[in-house]
Amino acid sequence: MKIFHTICAAFMAATIASCDAHQDSPDTSMKIGDILCTDGKVVRYEEMKAQEKTPIAVVFYVNQKEDIEGTGYAVYLKDIEPCAYSDSIGIKHDTSADLAAFDGNSNTHAMYSTYTSPAAEAVFDMWQYGQSAYIPSVAQLYLLYEVRNKINEYIRKCGGDEIQDNPDECWYWTSTEVKEQETDKAWLFSLASGAIQETPKTQAHKIRPIITLYN
């Protein structure tokens, strides 16, 4: 009996020690509202502050679709000042012109390769820290529109330009040309309403760059 009690006591001690050692693993999966920092890491806002990292963008989409490149998208903290999509009318910039395509990156590269797009040049000029910013497509801006209120909190905390509801401040260039009018027009997107508008390429409008994540 004495041996039995000794074995039971040892078993209970081991069990208690095992329970004390157990800890819930932190959730490290990427979430909307996480922060992309200048070192290329995506972290929670609280971790960014604690480690004194420098924020550059806010995650607004986590990818769960096989037909979309990357693990998600992050939107840069600042707008690019109004500029023209094209320096003249009559130039086709060879985008897909597909309203449903998540192809802002390839669109922006196509625009830049013509050497006639102030908008694309402005985005390329802001590249730093190894981050590859681009002008989002219509479909990508719609993803941002759907969560704009949720991520505005983090944009504000990081000192960025909040996404505006003001009708006079809400229109942004997409990188998507208007199908069958590619030489003259591209789509503007309202981040206040989700509406799109055919617009002459020589008009000056704001740009909100995004980046594809591969974390």
Side-chain angles (χ1 to χ4, degrees), residues 70-134:
T71 56
Y73 299 132
V75 61
Y76 276 77
L77 296 177
K78 299 284 187 178
D79 290 335
I80 290 179
E81 292 298 314
C83 58
Y85 187 107
S86 177
D87 57 18
S88 60
I89 295 295
I91 300 171
K92 186 176 181 180
H93 288 84
D94 294 324
T95 73
S96 71
D98 184 351
L99 293 175
F102 301 92
D103 59 355
N105 197 11
S106 59
N107 284 348
T108 304
H109 278 268
M111 294 163 63
Y112 185 79
S113 67
T114 67
Y115 302 103
T116 61
S117 175
E121 291 174 8
V123 171
F124 271 59
D125 285 346
M126 67 170 284
W127 282 17
Q128 55 184 331
Y129 310 116
Q131 310 299 341
S132 302
Y134 58 86

Side-chain angles (χ1 to χ4, degrees), residues 88-208:
S88 60
I89 295 295
I91 300 171
K92 186 176 181 180
H93 288 84
D94 294 324
T95 73
S96 71
D98 184 351
L99 293 175
F102 301 92
D103 59 355
N105 197 11
S106 59
N107 284 348
T108 304
H109 278 268
M111 294 163 63
Y112 185 79
S113 67
T114 67
Y115 302 103
T116 61
S117 175
E121 291 174 8
V123 171
F124 271 59
D125 285 346
M126 67 170 284
W127 282 17
Q128 55 184 331
Y129 310 116
Q131 310 299 341
S132 302
Y134 58 86
I135 305 168
S137 67
V138 168
Q140 288 168 321
L141 269 186
Y142 190 78
L143 293 176
L144 177 59
Y145 162 74
E146 288 185 314
V147 295
R148 66 198 186 286
N149 294 327
K150 183 173 183 178
I151 67 166
N152 257 346
E153 172 189 357
Y154 295 98
I155 292 174
R156 180 175 64 254
K157 286 180 177 180
C158 292
D161 300 326
E162 290 186 61
I163 295 170
Q164 297 293 320
D165 286 334
N166 184 332
D168 297 326
E169 299 292 333
C170 66
W171 290 96
Y172 290 82
W173 273 127
T174 74
S175 57
T176 308
E177 292 172 294
V178 177
K179 192 173 181 62
E180 299 182 357
Q181 299 184 66
E182 289 94 339
T183 59
D184 300 321
K185 294 180 180 179
W187 291 103
L188 280 185
F189 191 101
S190 169
L191 282 173
S193 66
I196 58 176
Q197 180 174 302
E198 298 179 11
T199 305
K201 290 181 175 182
T202 51
Q203 288 190 12
H205 294 281
K206 293 188 297 185
I207 300 166
R208 189 66 166 224

